[in-house]
Each structure stands twice: as structure tokens, then as C-alpha cells.
């Protein structure tokens, strides 16, 4: 008790030490809190490439192939997104992903995150949309299974429609404030090793045709719940993908919104992914 | 014996696998989407690291899957074997391998931004466990055949009794206990055989359900028959084996009971005893193994595999220490809490975030969330399950900077709700109709009319919603035939005729065409529907909308006619109309309707009417989707023909989480 009393007395008498300690606390505490927060928040400023697409397109396979460099791991349905840190080289020291995957690859490097997302219908929109909103995003690889595009066309196209529309809205919103970096889309036609697979050019035309039909039917579809009658006029233009009122859809129309769409074929199984890798390298 | 064993992450990468006979990858893919993503089947919702024995079996045509899951590391362990086999040691194999794998590679699994886990050495551990458990299992092959048969029966049951109601701890508690009391007489000849049969016994109870009543009675009969037989010729042997075990089981019970919460006391007590039992078993055997080396490990050492011996020791010490850790965790709980420093730092973290969430933190906040959901008219069952899911997900998670616990919970709840309400495949009705009435030239299908039928209880607005959909189709210039399938209630046909007349007037300019197909009263609805579809095909209609008689969901006679109806009319979509109103038993209705179309056919979606009258209290939507796994497609928002909307998940989730 006695000690406490003395201590209190000491604290309350204005002396140099007390002032100095007090001042130190006042000035240092914010700094400490700042560093504490900076240290605990995850390091997110690496540029990222998003990997999306319908189920079983080969997204996770591509991710593991690029990470391991030699061959892809076996995979099953994904439930959560998975990001992987990869390196591209600045000065063409390592031209292929195989070299880049080695730790001692020559040249100088830049790191980026490749983010794989689940393709299951219940999960994909949620994850894809949060990543599209992120400002570290540099590009989107939309993967489709070119061998099953006959059956899977409607599904593949409707998800692609959602993704492109989200990108279009993002650019649209950016026009008023600072313009976000343009985000390009690579449509990776996978599984070209199978003989039933369609070549990239056919994948392109099929998707364009289907996107056009979806655009048509969505414009005529029912309103979403929660959309009032008053919003109808203003909302309309927003949900139209590409050039407004145009008859046919083509990926070229997305240029209006600073979105380039490329369609490139390849095969994860055969390791023929160099063109995709080049595309990714250009984005970083 | 085993077909394949895989260790995979929730992100979909197979970390390690061993294949004895190739299994189609779709088996495991379907398993993942059914159990983890769509959470079909009641108990599915992946419970964290509970032993494989208490996870329900998953069956896929010829295969049975046994699995366990470690949530915080996102790793799934799954063993696949032929359903014909009865592998008594499989649960233990899965559990032990889980313990070993986590112990060896847990650190690697925690690394962010990589999918590589160096685990090639796991081969040896797997081989060791496989050999050890298989040899211990083969000692028991002289099991009474009746048991194998019995659990086969259970399994069939489990397979077909689709989507049993949630695990209502209270409801089946009594029965589960019965089972476990019965068990000793049938199956407890050795500890190993008793384990797999107990959970399937539990499952039998969970899977009880209307249409399978017959089957389960049969199963029960067999069980009853088999009990006296097996106990007759095994009794003396069992007695001697059980006597020394009794003592150990006692302590296990002791601390198992302490930490149980009251609600599920019996249920979890059964499991707890089993786990600790099994683990103690391991301990016992490993200590025994050192002393009496020649008895059970003799074969191995005689082949001169000295390396294996070391591995054995290592494996056993891993399993032992995991067991010890488990035990100490339950004992020293609560000792540290309350010291001043940690309280202050936790307060600090509460404000700036970065706090690791514990059970106590969550419990209170989750109660608030549960009440909130109940206020929004979500059924208790669904609210509890949602909250449990979120709590499990958040346990041990760190909050972000300046993020309060409540905000974190709201975020997780939003994600859960979105996942639950989002349909597996989204519906673009017009697009789908087009692809049926004008199939692409490359697909060899013939054009045919698209058939939608509407079902529901009396007075929910079936005809009104049917007319709304019709109006929408007419606006898009489709030719629609409305079939009056309500041949039961007088005035139903006339009511439809009025609607058709109105619709004709309203859409004259738009260019659609609508007619009614009716055969008066008293006829068989299924036949009327079938004729309507044929007529539509002949007359060049695009869409057939079939109205059906409203029926009470507990009216057996009328409900059973739905199966014939589905078979005759072959609808592309069966939609059920439900009400958003408070106080209706929508959930029971939805469940009964969903299971009344015969095997392999369920509802395709719901139309929820009267959504404009409930404001933010849209909880009924959640309860219905939770109970049936069938998505809500449309919502009715008013009295006019145009007052029907596509169901927007975002809209519903916002309403559910809004504070007002
Ligand atoms: N023939 C062939 N098969 C491939 C190729 N790429 C991937 N696959 C196979 O396709 C299947 C699905 O691959 P995943 O990578 O799991 O697909 P995903 O896109 O991640 O699927 P979700 O996670 O469900 O969205 C696997 O069985 C792969 O082996 C390829 O180039 N050729
Ligand atoms: Mg995947």
C-alpha cells in the first residue's frame, strides 16, 4: 500500500522523467499500433492473375503444373480458392514456366499470385466476383474444356457472361473516378490433346454465338427481385454486354471497355501451356 | 481390399494417393460436391476432424467411401473400397493415417501460397498401418455373417433414404442409445468389429423416412433375428475378452461425460467412448507390442525387416502423443483464462482486430446471430445449422485489422447464406426453352414443347403464379398451352379460363398465343397432362404449363398420385409454389412434395409467393432451401401479372442480414 502511494505521488509530481516518459508514450504508441497492424495484415500487394471457369476445365491442374514445372498433380473438385506465388523473369532469362519454376532461374524476376477458384456453380460467382473487385488484379484466365464444349457450352458461356459483365461494369464505374488498370481476358481452351476437342477458333465462335443468345434472352428475362420498377430504365444499359443494341456479339466489342479477349488453345496434360504462360507474363 | 486411398486438400489438389484398383475420379468428385459443397444428406456438413466412424458412409454405385476431414488445414482423407466388402478396420486406418499425416506434414500444410507438400515418405507409413491393421482385422474375419448382412442392409437404406431430416439430437437420441445397447449382443465380439457397425446403426435411425418404411422394418427384423443367434454361440468367448477392457472404458467415459453439453449428451457420449476406446486400444497394443514381440509382430521380424520396426515405433509414438495431447487438452481447459494480461491484450485485439477467435468469444455472438435469424422467420433447425457451420468455420480464425467479432461473423454468415441459396446450375428460362423448342442442328434432338408443371398445397396461388409465368412467356412471343390439371376442385377450370381470357386481352398486341386445354372434372390428372403435351406438340405450341390440384402435403392418397403425374407428363421443370408468410408449415410441405415424385425425380425449384407482404422477414426462403436443397427460382411480389421476379440471392441475403 505504502509503495503504491509513493508511486502515485511520484507519477503525479511534474518532473522531467515523468514528462519524458509521458511524451514517449504519446508519440510511440501510434507508431507501435501502426506497425502492429501492418505486420498482422497479410501481404497482398503482389499483382495477381485470376483463374476461373466451369468445373473440371483443368484450372487446378494448370495451377499445379505451373508451380511444379514438370507435370501437373492429380486433382479433384475444388472447394476453396488457392493462390500460388509464381515468378516471371524480366529480361527473358527464363522463357518457359519450367525454367521459371526453378528456384535458381537466371535473370531478374517479378513475383505474382496465380489464384485458382472453384468452378462449382454454388461457389464460383462468390469467389470470382470478390477477386475481380480486387485492385491487384492484372488479368483473368478463363479456362474451358474444349473437349466437352458441346454439352457444356451453355454453362461455360453463362459464367463467362457474368465475368465479362463484371469487368465491363468495373471499367464503367472507373470512368468517373480514377481509371483502374485495364484487365484483359484469356480464354484458355484446354484439353486439346483429346481428339474430340474443338480448335481455338471454333471455341471462340461458339462462345461468341452463345454469349449473343444469352445477352438476348437476359435482356428479355424477368427482373431480379429487389429491382424496383423505377430503376428499370437506368439499369437496362448496364446489363447489356458489349456494344449496346448490336445484333451479334463478338469479343471485339469488349474493346470499347478496354478489355481484350484472346482465345488460345493448349493442353495441361501434354504440358502445352507456353502460350498461356507468355500471355500471363505480358500482364505482369 | 482397398481400392484407393487419397489425401487431398479442399483446394482440390491430391497430396498423396495410393491406388490398388483404378476408381473413376468422378466418384470422389461427386463425393466432394455432395458432402462438402451441397451438403446433401443430413449429417453431411463436414464436421471437423471427427473420427471416420462417425462420418456417414458415402456410397457411389459400387463403391463405399470412408472419410475424415481436418478443417483448419483443409485436408480430406478418403478411403474407397468395394461396397461388397466389409472392412472392419477401415475407420481406424483412416483415423490413424490422419493423425500421422498431420503430425508429419502439418507445418508444410500451413504454408501460404503453395500447393506443394513433400510427402513421398508417407508411403512407408501407409504401408505400415495398412499391414498392421489389415492383419489385426483378418483375425476377426470369423465374425458372425449376420452382422455383415445387417450392415449391408443399413447401407442400402442409407443410400436410398435420400436426404433424411437434420440430426435432431433430441429426436433420435433414445433410439441411438437403444442401438448402442443392443450392439454388444450382436457385434461386440471384438473391439474392432464393433466400431464400424455402431455408426451405421445410428445412421439407420437418422435415415428413417416415409417411403423407406418397409425396408427399415425388414432391416430391423433381420437385426432382431440375428441378435440371439450370434450372442448364443459367442457369449463365452466375448466374456473373457471384455472383462479386462471394462476398466479402461470407465475412465474414458469419465472425461467424455465432463465436456459434453447437455443437448446431445447421449449421442456424443457414444462417439466419445468409441474414440477414446479405440485410441486406448492403440496404446494398449503398442505397449503390448514391445513386450510380447513374438506374438503379433512375429511375422514381420522373422522376415528381417528391421527398418520396419523403427517405423512401427515412430508411428506408435505419434499416435500415442496425439492421444495424450487430446487428453491433456480436455483437462487443462480454462486454467489460463482470467489472467489480467491476457484479458487486456484480448480487449486490445477486440478493437484493432487480429484476435484469434475462441469458443467463448463466438458462443455469445453466435447466440445473437441465431436470434437475429429467428427474428427473420428462419426455422430454428435451419438457423442452428447455419450458425453451427459458421462457428465451426470461424473457430481459431484471426479477425482482420479493425474488424470486430460481429463483423466477422456477419461476413461468414453472408458467405454461408449465399452458398446455400445459390443454385448449383443457374436457370435462364428463356434460353432453356429455346434450346428445347429449337435444338441446335448439331445435337440430334427433335424439337418438342417445353413442359412446366406447378404443384403446391391449396390456396398458395398456383394458378396465379402459373398465369404470371404465362404472361412473361407471352410477352416474349411464345405460344403457350395451359393444361387444366386440377380435375378435382370445382371451379378450378373456370378460374383458369378467366386467367386465359385476361391474358389474351393483355397480350394481343405482343404476338403471343395462349390456349387452354381442359377435359372437365373427374378425369385422371396425369392423363390430361399427357394428352395436353401431345396436343401441344401437334399444334405447334412452344410451352405447356400444367396446373395441378392443390393438395395437403399430408394427404397420402393425393400425394401418391404425383408420382404417376411426373411419369406421364415428363415435365422439364416441376415448380412448387410456397408462401413466404409467417406461421405456415412451408418446410414440411416442401419436404413432402420434394419426395413425392418417385425415385430419381425431385422438385426443380420453388416459386415463393407473397414476398411483398413480409418485408424483411424472408426467412422462409432459407428454411425451405435448407430442408430440400432445391433452389428458389422465382418470387411473387404483388397482385399483377407482371409481379413475378427472378430470385436474386444478393437481395435475399441483404434482407436477411439487415438490421431493422
Ligand atoms: N485430357 C486432358 N485432361 C485434362 C487436362 N487438363 C486437366 N485434365 C483433367 O481434367 C480433370 C479436371 O481438372 P481440374 O484441374 O481438377 O479442374 P478444375 O477446373 O480445377 O475443376 P473445379 O475445381 O471443379 O472447378 C482432371 O481429371 C484432369 O486430369 C488436359 O489438358 N487434357
Ligand atoms: Mg479446381
Amino acid at each position: 500500500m505504502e509503495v503504491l502511494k509513493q508511486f502515485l505521488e511520484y507519477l503525479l509530481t511534474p518532473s522531467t522523467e515523468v514528462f519524458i516518459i509521458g511524451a514517449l508514450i504519446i508519440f510511440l504508441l501510434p507508431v507501435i499500433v501502426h506497425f502492429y497492424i501492418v505486420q498482422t495484415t497479410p501481404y497482398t500487394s503482389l499483382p495477381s492473375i485470376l483463374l476461373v471457369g466451369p468445373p473440371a476445365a483443368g484450372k487446378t491442374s494448370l495451377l499445379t503444373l505451373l508451380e511444379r514445372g514438370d507435370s501437373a498433380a492429380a486433382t479433384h473438385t475444388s472447394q476453396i480458392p488457392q493462390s500460388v506465388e509464381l515468378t516471371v523473369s524480366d529480361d527473358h532469362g527464363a522463357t518457359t514456366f519450367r525454367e521459371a519454376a526453378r528456384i535458381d532461374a537466371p535473370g531478374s524476376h517479378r513475383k505474382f499470385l496465380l489464384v485458382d477458384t472453384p468452378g462449382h456453380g454454388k461457389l464460383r460467382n462468390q469467389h470470382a466476383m470478390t477477386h475481380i473487385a480486387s485492385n491487384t488484379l492484372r488479368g483473368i484466365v478463363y479456362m474451358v474444356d474444349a473437349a466437352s464444349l458441346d454439352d457444356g457450352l451453355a454453362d461455360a458461356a453463362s459464367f463467362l457472361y457474368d465475368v465479362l459483365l463484371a469487368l465491363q461494369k468495373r471499367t464503367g464505374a472507373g470512368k468517373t473516378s480514377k481509371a483502374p488498370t485495364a484487365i484483359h481476358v484469356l480464354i484458355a481452351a484446354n484439353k486439346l490433346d483429346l481428339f474430340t476437342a474443338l480448335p481455338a477458333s471454333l471455341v471462340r465462335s461458339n462462345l461468341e454465338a452463345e454469349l449473343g443468345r444469352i445477352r438476348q434472352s437476359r435482356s428479355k428475362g424477368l427482373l431480379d427481385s429487389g429491382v424496383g420498377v423505377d430503376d428499370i430504365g437506368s439499369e437496362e444499359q448496364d446489363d447489356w454486354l458489349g456494344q449496346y443494341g448490336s445484333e451479334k456479339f463478338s469479343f471485339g466489342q469488349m474493346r470499347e471497355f478496354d478489355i481484350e479477349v484472346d482465345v488460345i488453345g493448349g493442353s495441361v496434360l501434354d504440358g502445352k501451356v507456353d502460350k498461356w504462360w507468355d500471355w500471363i507474363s505480358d500482364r505482369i | 481390399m482397398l481400392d484407393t486411398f487419397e489425401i487431398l486438400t479442399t483446394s482440390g489438389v491430391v497430396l498423396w494417393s495410393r491406388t490398388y484398383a483404378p476408381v473413376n475420379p468422378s466418384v470422389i468428385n461427386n463425393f466432394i460436391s455432395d458432402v462438402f459443397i451441397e451438403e446433401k444428406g443430413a449429417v453431411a456438413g463436414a464436421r471437423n476432424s471427427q473420427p471416420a466412424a462417425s462420418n456417414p458412409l458415402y456410397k457411389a454405385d459400387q463403391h463405399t467411401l470412408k472419410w475424415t476431414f481436418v478443417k483448419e488445414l483443409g485436408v480430406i482423407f478418403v478411403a474407397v473400397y468395394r461396397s461388397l466388402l466389409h472392412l472392419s478396420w477401415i475407420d481406424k486406418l483412416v483415423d490413424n493415417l490422419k493423425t500421422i499425416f498431420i503430425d508429419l506434414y502439418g507445418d508444410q500444410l500451413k504454408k501460404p501460397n503453395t500447393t506443394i507438400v513433400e510427402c513421398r515418405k508417407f508411403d512407408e507409413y501407409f504401408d505400415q498401418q495398412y499391414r498392421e491393421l489389415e492383419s489385426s482385422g483378418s483375425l476377426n474375419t470369423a465374425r458372425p455373417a449376420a452382422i455383415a448382412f445387417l450392415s449391408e442392409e443399413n447401407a442400402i437404406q442409407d443410400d436410398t433414404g435420400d436426404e433424411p431430416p437434420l440430426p435432431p439430437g433430441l429426436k433420435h437420441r433414445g433410439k441411438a442409445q437403444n442401438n448402442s445397447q443392443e450392439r454388444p449382443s450382436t457385434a461386440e465380439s471384438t473391439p474392432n468389429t464393433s466400431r464400424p457397425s455402431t455408426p451405421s446403426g445410428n445412421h439407420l435411425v437418422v435415415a428413417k423416412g416415409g417411403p423407406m418404411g418397409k425396408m427399415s422394418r425388414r432391416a430391423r427384423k433381420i437385426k432382431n433375428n440375428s441378435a440371439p443367434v450370434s450372442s448364443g454361440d459367442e457369449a463365452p468367448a466375448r466374456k473373457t475378452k471384455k472383462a479386462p477392457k471394462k476398466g479402461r472404458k470407465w475412465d474414458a467415459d469419465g472425461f467424455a461425460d465432463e465436456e459434453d453439453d447437455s443437448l446431445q449428451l447421449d449421442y456424443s457420449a457414444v462417439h466419445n467412448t468409441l474414440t477414446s476406446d479405440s485410441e486406448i486400444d492403440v496404446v494398449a497394443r503398442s505397449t503390448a507390442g514391445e513386450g510380447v514381440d513374438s506374438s503379433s509382430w512375429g511375422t514381420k521380424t522373422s522376415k528381417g525387416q528391421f527398418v520396419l520396426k523403427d517405423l512401427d515405433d515412430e508411428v506408435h509414438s505419434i499416435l500415442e502423443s496425439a492421444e495424450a495431447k487430446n487428453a491433456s487438452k480436455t483437462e487443462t481447459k480454462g486454467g489460463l483464462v482470467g489472467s489480467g494480461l491476457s484479458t487486456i491484450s484480448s480487449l486490445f485485439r477486440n478493437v484493432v482486430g487480429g484476435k484469434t477467435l475462441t469458443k467463448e468469444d463466438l458462443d455469445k455472438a453466435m447466440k445473437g446471430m441465431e436470434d437475429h435469424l429467428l427474428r427473420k422467420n428462419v426455422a430454428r433447425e435451419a438457423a442452428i445449422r447455419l450458425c453451427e457451420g459458421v462457428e465451426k468455420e470461424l473457430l481459431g480464425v484471426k479477425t482482420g485489422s479493425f474488424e470486430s467479432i460481429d463483423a466477422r461473423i456477419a461476413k461468414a454468415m453472408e458467405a454461408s447464406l449465399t452458398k446455400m441459396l445459390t443454385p448449383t446450375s443457374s436457370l435462364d428460362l428463356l434460353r432453356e426453352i429455346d434450346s428445347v423448342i429449337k435444338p441446335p442442328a448439331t445435337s440430334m434432338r427433335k424439337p418438342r414443347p417445353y413442359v412446366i408443371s406447378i404443384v403446391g398445397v391449396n390456396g398458395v396461388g398456383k394458378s396465379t403464379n402459373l398465369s404470371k409465368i404465362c404472361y412473361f412467356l407471352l410477352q416474349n412471343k411464345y405460344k403457350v398451352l395451359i393444361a387444366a390439371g386440377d380435375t378435382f376442385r370445382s371451379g378450378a377450370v373456370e378460374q383458369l379460363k378467366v386467367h386465359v381470357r385476361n391474358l389474351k386481352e393483355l397480350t394481343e398486341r405482343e404476338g403471343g398465343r395462349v390456349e387452354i386445354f381442359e377435359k372437365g372434372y373427374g378425369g385422371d390428372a396425369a392423363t390430361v397432362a399427357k394428352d395436353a403435351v401431345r396436343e401441344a406438340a401437334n399444334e405447334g405450341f412452344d410451352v405447356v404449363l400444367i396446373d395441378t390440384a392443390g393438395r395437403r402435403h399430408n394427404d397420402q392418397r393425393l400425394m401418391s398420385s404425383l408420382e404417376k403425374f411426373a411419369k406421364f407428363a415428363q415435365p422439364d421443370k416441376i415448380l412448387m409454389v410456397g408462401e413466404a408468410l409467417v406461421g405456415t408449415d412451408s418446410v414440411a410441405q416442401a419436404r413432402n412434395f420434394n419426395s413425392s415424385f418417385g425415385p430419381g425425380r425431385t422438385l426443380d425449384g420453388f416459386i415463393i409467393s407473397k414476398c411483398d407482404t413480409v418485408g424483411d422477414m424472408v426467412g422462409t426462403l432459407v428454411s425451405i432451401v435448407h430442408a430440400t436443397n432445391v433452389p428458389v427460382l422465382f418470387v411473387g411480389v404483388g397482385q399483377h401479372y407482371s409481379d413475378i421476379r427472378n430470385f436474386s440471392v444478393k437481395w435475399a441475403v441483404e434482407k436477411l442480414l439487415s438490421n431493422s
Side-chain angles (χ1 to χ4, degrees):
Chain A
M1 217 52 237
E2 198 55 28
V3 182
L4 188 70
K5 207 167 154 195
Q6 269 177 7
F7 182 67
L8 273 179
E9 230 160 58
Y10 170 74
L11 270 189
L12 296 176
T13 10
S15 69
T16 4
E17 294 105 73
V18 171
F19 277 131
I20 292 174
I21 293 173
L24 277 182
I25 291 177
I26 288 169
F27 287 116
L28 285 184
L29 194 66
V31 179
I32 293 171
V33 170
H34 169 82
F35 278 110
Y36 171 78
I37 289 163
V38 166
Q39 182 233 324
T40 48
T41 39
Y43 181 59
T44 49
S45 54
L46 281 181
S48 62
I49 299 281
L50 182 63
L51 201 49
V52 289
K59 298 180 290 299
T60 312
S61 301
L62 175 65
L63 183 91
T64 56
L65 173 66
L66 292 180
E67 185 182 20
R68 287 166 175 70
D70 45 2
S71 67
T75 58
H76 286 296
T77 305
S78 311
Q79 304 165 50
I80 55 165
Q82 166 80 48
S83 45
V84 158
E85 198 176 292
L86 297 173
T87 350
V88 289
S89 63
D90 268 332
D91 45 9
H92 299 282
T95 40
T96 65
F97 69 94
R98 282 173 225 282
E99 286 170 43
R102 290 207 321 258
I103 301 159
D104 55 349
S108 54
H109 313 288
R110 268 165 308 160
K111 286 190 185 331
F112 72 99
L113 288 179
L114 185 63
V115 186
D116 173 38
T117 56
H120 191 278
K122 263 185 183 301
L123 307 172
R124 61 188 182 196
N125 268 316
Q126 211 176 339
H127 290 301
M129 296 316 154
T130 44
H131 282 105
I132 286 177
S134 124
N135 52 11
T136 57
L137 187 67
R138 293 289 179 278
I140 296 182
V141 178
Y142 187 89
M143 202 160 209
V144 292
D145 176 354
S148 70
L149 207 58
D150 277 338
D151 310 321
L153 184 62
D155 186 45
S158 75
F159 186 30
L160 180 58
Y161 192 94
D162 292 338
V163 169
L164 289 177
L165 194 64
L167 278 180
Q168 175 179 322
K169 282 187 176 165
R170 176 188 151 119
T171 345
K175 266 175 190 157
T176 47
S177 57
K178 65 176 173 69
T181 43
I183 291 174
H184 299 315
V185 178
L186 167 67
I187 295 175
N190 189 26
K191 309 202 187 177
L192 289 194
D193 53 299
L194 299 173
F195 74 98
T196 47
L198 302 178
S201 57
L202 265 181
V203 170
R204 180 187 192 106
S205 57
N206 282 1
L207 280 176
E208 280 179 340
E210 183 69 19
L211 283 172
R213 285 190 289 259
I214 290 174
R215 182 169 72 172
Q216 211 69 44
S217 77
R218 285 213 190 170
S219 70
K220 292 187 296 187
L222 286 168
L223 294 174
D224 274 355
S225 55
V227 178
V229 190
D230 328 329
D231 318 335
I232 295 175
S234 59
E235 206 88 335
E236 205 173 44
Q237 203 139 352
D238 274 351
D239 278 345
W240 184 273
L241 187 69
Q243 188 191 341
Y244 190 70
S246 54
E247 183 71 21
K248 276 219 167 71
F249 176 81
S250 76
F251 288 131
Q253 293 174 9
M254 298 307 294
R255 279 202 203 107
E256 195 183 320
F257 304 93
D258 278 345
I259 302 166
E260 290 278 354
V261 183
D262 292 305
V263 185
I264 304 175
S267 159
V268 174
L269 199 69
D270 288 354
K272 293 206 179 97
V273 299
D274 291 311
K275 282 193 183 140
W276 299 342
W277 178 253
D278 292 342
W279 186 93
I280 292 173
S281 309
D282 290 344
R283 299 279 91 71
I284 301 301
Chain B
M1 287 294 234
L2 199 60
D3 277 2
T4 179
F5 189 95
E6 295 203 2
I7 301 175
L8 56 138
T9 64
T10 42
S11 56
V13 180
V14 177
L15 297 175
W16 184 91
S17 71
R18 168 68 64 84
T19 304
Y20 293 97
V23 175
N24 190 336
S26 69
V27 171
I28 293 186
N29 285 341
N30 291 342
F31 156 70
I32 294 173
S33 53
D34 286 354
V35 174
F36 289 89
I37 302 180
E38 294 176 25
E39 303 189 8
K40 281 185 190 159
V43 232
R47 311 225 155 190
N48 191 11
S49 25
Q50 74 182 4
S54 39
N55 285 328
L57 292 176
Y58 180 84
K59 311 211 110 209
D61 44 39
Q62 312 218 330
H63 295 98
T64 299
L65 280 76
K66 267 280 169 197
W67 54 280
T68 182
F69 174 49
V70 183
K71 186 139 199 172
E72 56 273 18
L73 297 174
V75 195
I76 302 165
F77 298 80
V78 50
V80 186
Y81 57 95
R82 297 259 146 188
S83 302
L84 292 173
L85 299 174
H86 185 75
L87 306 182
S88 55
W89 40 270
I90 200 96
D91 287 332
K92 197 138 164 215
L93 179 73
V94 176
D95 285 340
N96 285 359
L97 287 175
K98 174 187 84 182
T99 312
I100 298 169
F101 192 86
I102 297 297
D103 184 86
L104 292 172
Y105 308 111
D107 296 338
Q108 287 192 57
L109 286 165
K110 282 188 197 123
K111 266 195 257 163
N113 297 341
T114 178
T115 62
I116 299 178
V117 172
E118 271 306 330
C119 55
R120 240 166 290 150
K121 261 195 73 196
F122 193 68
D123 279 343
E124 292 164 24
Y125 295 90
F126 178 83
D127 288 336
Q128 189 272 344
Q129 276 295 310
Y130 190 63
R131 209 175 303 124
E132 181 177 320
L133 289 172
E134 197 185 26
S135 64
S136 77
S138 61
L139 295 177
N140 305 322
T141 37
R143 240 172 319 109
I147 294 169
F149 187 45
L150 164 67
S151 46
E152 213 87 283
E153 279 285 289
N154 284 346
I156 293 168
Q157 243 254 305
D158 168 340
D159 202 10
T160 37
D162 50 345
E163 293 164 30
L166 260 198
L170 282 170
K171 234 203 255 169
H172 72 267
R173 201 205 323 180
K175 287 200 190 168
Q177 207 179 10
N178 272 349
N179 260 327
S180 58
Q181 280 170 352
E182 243 171 73
R183 207 52 49 177
S185 63
T186 55
E188 191 130 302
S189 54
T190 56
N192 262 333
T193 40
S194 75
R195 230 159 281 121
S197 32
T198 310
S200 29
N202 274 339
H203 220 71
L204 173 82
V205 180
V206 177
K208 69 179 178 305
M212 296 313 297
K214 243 191 229 157
M215 180 65 99
S216 70
R217 216 175 303 135
R218 209 169 91 211
R220 231 177 286 137
K221 208 156 145 202
I222 287 166
K223 186 161 69 181
N224 288 341
N225 283 346
S226 70
V229 176
S230 57
S231 68
D233 47 50
E234 286 234 348
R238 193 181 346 109
K239 261 221 174 103
T240 50
K241 266 187 196 165
K242 265 183 83 179
K245 274 205 63 199
K246 200 88 190 199
R248 280 190 218 109
K249 211 167 178 179
W250 255 98
D251 334 64
D253 258 330
F255 68 71
D257 274 353
E258 262 169 29
E259 49 166 1
D260 276 331
D261 40 37
S262 56
L263 181 69
Q264 292 207 323
L265 182 81
D266 291 337
Y267 189 56
S268 47
V270 171
H271 293 321
N272 272 342
T273 356
L274 286 174
T275 27
S276 29
D277 206 16
S278 75
E279 274 149 0
I280 284 168
D281 212 33
V282 173
V283 180
R285 203 175 312 148
S286 67
T287 41
E290 272 145 37
V292 209
D293 208 18
S294 56
S295 63
S296 55
W297 321 118
T299 45
K300 281 170 207 161
T301 37
S302 70
K303 278 178 197 159
Q305 288 169 310
F306 290 107
V307 203
L308 263 182
K309 186 76 184 70
D310 291 344
L311 197 68
D312 279 1
D313 287 347
E314 190 186 340
V315 165
H316 292 147
S317 77
I318 290 174
L319 291 175
E320 254 170 83
S321 68
E323 151 82 355
K325 227 192 273 165
N326 262 351
S328 66
K329 216 196 281 169
T330 48
E331 275 158 22
T332 61
K333 212 176 178 183
L336 292 168
V337 196
S339 93
L341 199 65
S342 73
T343 328
I344 292 173
S345 97
S346 112
L347 278 177
F348 177 65
R349 279 157 190 273
N350 249 341
V351 180
V352 296
K355 178 183 167 64
T356 308
L357 296 173
T358 63
K359 186 127 177 60
E360 293 93 67
D361 295 332
L362 284 171
D363 271 348
K364 220 176 86 210
M366 287 320 296
K367 192 81 197 82
M369 180 50 86
E370 197 181 312
D371 291 340
H372 176 84
L373 289 179
L374 292 176
R375 271 200 304 279
K376 296 279 174 177
N377 197 21
V378 177
R380 183 168 292 274
E381 192 183 302
I384 289 176
R385 164 121 164 249
L386 275 165
C387 287
E388 270 178 0
V390 167
E391 185 170 346
K392 247 177 273 151
E393 191 183 315
L394 289 183
L395 208 60
V397 163
K398 260 195 178 162
T399 53
S401 335
F402 291 106
E403 188 185 38
S404 70
I405 299 180
D406 286 336
R408 188 72 189 77
I409 289 179
K411 210 166 109 192
M413 185 55 82
E414 183 182 336
S416 295
L417 283 170
T418 308
K419 181 176 149 195
M420 179 187 267
L421 294 175
T422 309
T424 302
S425 52
S426 59
L427 173 72
D428 185 343
L429 189 62
L430 297 181
R431 190 67 209 98
E432 239 188 85
I433 294 175
D434 280 343
S435 70
V436 166
I437 61 178
K438 290 177 232 144
T442 49
S443 76
M444 314 294 268
R445 278 168 296 165
K446 277 216 308 246
R448 62 177 175 85
Y450 190 84
V451 184
I452 301 176
S453 70
I454 310 258
V455 299
V457 298
N458 313 74
V460 284
K462 279 185 304 301
S463 307
T464 317
N465 279 293
L466 179 132
S467 316
K468 285 179 180 176
I469 291 181
C470 181
Y471 178 70
F472 164 62
L473 295 174
L474 289 174
Q475 281 184 316
N476 286 297
K477 304 190 176 48
Y478 289 98
K479 301 188 202 78
V480 185
L481 184 66
I482 294 182
D486 188 350
T487 55
F488 191 68
R489 183 172 63 88
S490 63
V493 177
E494 284 71 27
Q495 189 194 350
L496 265 187
K497 278 185 180 159
V498 174
H499 277 306
V500 169
R501 205 173 54 234
N502 292 345
L503 286 169
K504 268 187 181 156
E505 271 168 28
L506 276 171
T507 55
E508 235 164 17
R509 292 177 295 118
E510 325 252 352
R513 175 179 155 214
V514 57
E515 297 296 339
I516 187 164
F517 181 90
E518 54 118 344
K519 282 273 149 70
Y521 296 102
D524 177 24
T527 324
V528 173
K530 195 177 171 188
D531 291 345
V533 176
R534 188 168 335 114
E535 162 118 352
N538 294 338
E539 301 287 316
F541 284 95
D542 299 322
V543 182
V544 186
L545 293 175
I546 307 174
D547 193 20
T548 61
R551 58 201 85 206
R552 295 292 311 159
H553 61 284
N554 37 23
D555 179 339
Q556 267 307 312
R557 196 177 57 84
L558 273 175
M559 288 303 280
S560 60
S561 68
L562 281 176
E563 187 171 346
K564 182 180 173 199
F565 172 79
K567 211 183 282 153
F568 270 49
Q570 291 289 335
D572 293 276
K573 285 273 176 291
I574 304 178
L575 305 181
M576 173 173 169
V577 181
E579 280 178 318
L581 301 185
V582 189
T584 46
D585 52 350
S586 330
V587 174
Q589 290 168 10
R591 252 194 205 127
N592 283 356
F593 269 95
N594 194 34
S595 56
S596 62
F597 298 102
R601 190 74 168 101
T602 55
L603 289 170
D604 295 296
F606 289 105
I607 305 173
I608 305 296
S609 65
K610 306 178 190 173
C611 274
D612 50 326
T613 61
V614 292
D616 278 348
M617 318 257 287
V618 290
T620 318
L621 291 167
V622 179
S623 321
I624 289 182
V625 174
H626 165 258
T628 57
N629 263 313
V630 172
V632 173
L633 297 178
F634 304 106
V635 291
V637 293
Q639 305 283 352
H640 299 286
Y641 283 126
S642 57
D643 286 337
I644 186 166
R645 297 277 183 278
N646 263 333
F647 173 64
S648 145
V649 176
K650 204 167 143 239
W651 164 82
V653 172
E654 267 167 20
K655 287 206 153 195
L656 283 166
L657 292 180
S658 74
N659 264 320
S660 57

